[in-house]
Amino acid sequence: MVSTPHSVPRFRHAVVTGGAGFLGSHLCTALLESGSEVTCVDDFCTGRRENVAHLADRPGFTLIEADICHPFDVEASASGASAPPDLVLNFASPASPADYLRMPLHTLETGSAGTRNALALARRYGARFVHASTSEAYGDPQEHPQSERYWGHVNPVGPRSVYDEAKRFGEALTAAEARSRGANVGIVRLFNTYGPRMRGYDGRAVPTFVRQALAGEELTVTGDGRQTRSLAYVDDTVRGVLAMAGSELLGPVNIGNPDEITMQHLAELVIELTGSSSGLRFIERPSDDPAVRCPDITLARGKLQWEPTVPAREGLERTIAWFRGQAAG
């Protein structure tokens, strides 16, 4: 169960694009449990039907298969909701390097045309709109930790640029919607989120390490393993996103865990928690891979009264237990 903050008002009808993805599915669950009707929109290029299978028979939940790169309307698609949308969460996008390097053009279109269409849906119904951006907007940062005032250090034509620039364009489009039309919109920059329902082969560190450790394989650590990430357990990220949804902030606002961990330490911690006999194998570091990644969450603490509460050890234990259950099932 994902808890929602008491300060977040109940939305009548929330639309979650990318709602069958890892994070989107947790948002759908949290919103339903708060009493909202939820329409999940996903084209299943990376999302999975099993992520929302537990919601399929719940009153108030509707699943629509659609690519948001094309205009869409939840009512025209026979959504079962009884009220028009008053919240649109734009979470559709390939989000792992393995996915966006495999689908570069679709990633760019989702961040541009898809964001435009999601904004149009929110505008049609006068709904609050929250765009999910990313810490990748900061690139390989020269400021540490990264505050929202930092403009970033991004390679606009490198292999990761299809994701970085799609998200940066989505931010620009969302901000322009606020300036030009006075729209009720917000931008969250999400730092590395992990937890149940991640795909073992999506290329991100936590699911890769957990999968390898449980299989007794060597854990593949890129570079020398000294690069850092800041890992937020999914329940914490969901609380932050919904706090932003319930506010009137434009942002961007960082949502992430300011406790850094090196990739080597993370791999060693996963080995400890799984009880695995695996060792480490160091491999080539990907192009444009950031050396550090850590959010300054002063703004989220002050304006949203939000901060993460799940320690890395606890979150990893929950995640490992889920992966074990998947293997057993």
Side-chain angles (χ1 to χ4, degrees):
M1 179 179 295
V2 178
S3 61
T4 59
H6 296 301
S7 59
V8 175
R10 173 179 167 179
F11 293 96
R12 298 186 308 275
H13 177 193
V15 176
V16 184
T17 71
F22 155 58
L23 183 51
S25 65
H26 285 276
L27 285 164
C28 288
T29 301
L31 285 160
L32 269 176
E33 290 178 350
S34 74
S36 299
E37 296 180 307
V38 174
T39 298
C40 167
V41 182
D42 207 296
D43 68 353
F44 299 105
C45 70
T46 60
R48 299 186 294 180
R49 291 183 186 274
E50 54 262 41
N51 286 345
V52 291
H54 64 292
L55 305 177
D57 296 325
R58 290 273 296 270
F61 180 74
T62 302
L63 175 61
I64 295 173
E65 183 172 356
D67 180 352
I68 69 164
C69 293
H70 307 288
F72 67 100
D73 188 331
V74 294
E75 291 200 345
S77 300
S79 170
S82 61
D86 54 354
L87 175 66
V88 176
L89 299 180
N90 188 37
F91 278 70
S93 177
S96 75
D99 290 332
Y100 57 71
L101 293 176
R102 177 171 54 88
M103 296 180 286
L105 297 178
H106 184 61
T107 301
L108 285 163
E109 284 199 26
T110 302
S112 53
T115 301
R116 183 187 65 227
N117 291 330
L119 277 164
L121 179 75
R123 185 169 63 248
R124 189 174 304 131
Y125 296 106
R128 169 73 166 161
F129 176 90
V130 177
H131 175 63
S133 188
T134 172
S135 60
E136 295 290 341
Y138 300 118
D140 189 5
Q142 296 177 316
E143 174 184 296
H144 193 67
Q146 296 83 58
S147 77
E148 293 88 350
R149 296 182 302 275
Y150 178 53
W151 290 357
H153 178 231
V154 179
N155 178 357
V157 294
R160 300 170 74 102
S161 66
V162 295
Y163 183 65
D164 302 353
E165 299 301 335
K167 289 297 189 180
R168 285 159 67 97
F169 178 82
E171 287 193 19
L173 190 59
T174 301
E177 187 83 5
R179 286 192 295 266
S180 300
R181 295 190 168 111
N184 181 10
V185 299
I187 301 164
V188 287
R189 286 182 181 155
L190 306 178
F191 284 66
N192 305 83
T193 299
Y194 70 100
R197 301 188 200 136
M198 295 192 88
R199 291 174 294 133
Y201 287 90
D202 84 351
R204 287 180 277 198
V206 169
T208 298
F209 289 164
V210 171
R211 172 180 57 78
Q212 291 171 333
L214 292 177
E217 302 171 0
E218 290 182 317
L219 275 63
T220 50
V221 180
T222 61
D224 60 10
R226 289 186 292 181
Q227 65 272 31
T228 68
R229 295 295 183 268
S230 300
L231 303 177
Y233 187 66
V234 63
D235 289 13
D236 283 333
T237 298
V238 165
R239 285 193 301 107
V241 170
L242 295 183
M244 184 65 170
S247 77
E248 296 182 353
L249 286 179
L250 168 60
V253 176
N254 288 337
I255 299 295
N257 192 328
D259 292 335
E260 284 181 274
I261 186 171
T262 69
M263 291 297 93
Q264 180 171 342
H265 183 199
L266 174 62
E268 291 168 345
L269 182 56
V270 168
I271 289 172
E272 175 194 340
L273 294 175
T274 55
S276 175
S277 60
S278 297
L280 304 183
R281 178 164 59 92
F282 293 87
I283 62 175
E284 184 178 357
R285 192 168 154 195
S287 177
D288 298 330
D289 183 50
V292 292
R293 185 58 57 75
C294 179
D296 179 338
I297 62 169
T298 302
L299 184 58
R301 282 190 175 119
K303 296 294 186 180
L304 301 178
Q305 290 75 56
W306 174 89
E307 62 181 4
T309 62
V310 180
R313 180 176 288 269
E314 179 182 342
L316 287 169
E317 286 174 343
R318 296 183 195 176
T319 304
I320 290 166
W322 182 84
F323 271 93
R324 285 192 195 278
Q326 293 297 107

